[in-house]
Amino acid sequence: MPNNPIGGLGHVPVAVYACAPTAVAVRDGERRCRHYAGARHWHVAGAWSDLDPAVPLDERPGWQAIASALSTGMIRGIIVGAFSHVAADAAQFAGLGVLIRDRGGFLVHAAGTLPRRTPGELQRRRDITDASSGWSPWGDTPQADTS
């Protein structure tokens, strides 16, 4: 297994896990996890999901597959879209993290939201960049006299 520190950058094989009552929420959680992994240059070895959060964690097929992948060394870490995908509260999530750490892995949640693109955002960013570099879309404009 790679010898990279937790939270560090590098080729770390991770699993993405989402559990929510709707397919849309599962896809959103998975997308958030993949974005989190990509920002750290972690390799997503697989993505698993379950659609019933009411089922105990150790009885969910997706979670069982992740536990198996962790025990065989296929993955080193688990990324979940939110605490609620695997735990009732932050304390329970921390306890689960300790259990996974004892097995040689790590558990993180992809906090925050994905950046959203708005209409015209790309053009506004170009305008800001151009203005900061001194370039003007109107050609040569008179500069203030600095003398």
Side-chain angles (χ1 to χ4, degrees):
M1 283 203 293
N3 193 17
N4 294 19
I6 294 174
L9 298 174
H11 182 78
V12 177
V14 296
V16 166
Y17 180 74
C19 182
T22 66
V24 172
V26 167
R27 280 193 309 270
D28 183 51
E30 182 179 333
R31 188 177 70 234
R32 190 177 306 115
C33 292
R34 287 182 181 278
H35 184 266
Y36 187 92
R40 286 152 185 79
H41 303 285
W42 292 348
H43 169 70
V44 176
W48 289 271
S49 64
D50 291 304
L51 289 174
D52 191 359
V55 173
L57 188 61
D58 59 345
E59 295 176 16
R60 298 179 193 169
W63 186 258
Q64 290 173 350
I66 285 181
S68 174
L70 182 64
S71 66
T72 61
M74 182 178 140
I75 61 169
R76 182 161 177 224
I78 304 166
I79 305 171
V80 296
F83 288 130
S84 62
H85 292 217
V86 294
D89 57 22
Q92 191 178 23
F93 184 84
L96 182 60
V98 169
L99 290 174
I100 292 170
R101 201 171 23 251
D102 288 346
R103 293 182 183 173
F106 63 90
L107 174 68
V108 296
H109 78 336
T113 59
L114 295 175
R116 298 187 187 271
R117 301 284 184 218
T118 58
E121 179 179 357
L122 182 59
Q123 185 59 45
R124 282 192 298 277
R125 287 181 182 215
R126 284 186 187 140
D127 292 345
I128 291 169
T129 303
D130 292 344
S132 67
S133 69
W135 183 84
S136 171
W138 300 283
D140 290 334
T141 57
Q143 299 291 326
D145 187 28
T146 57
S147 4

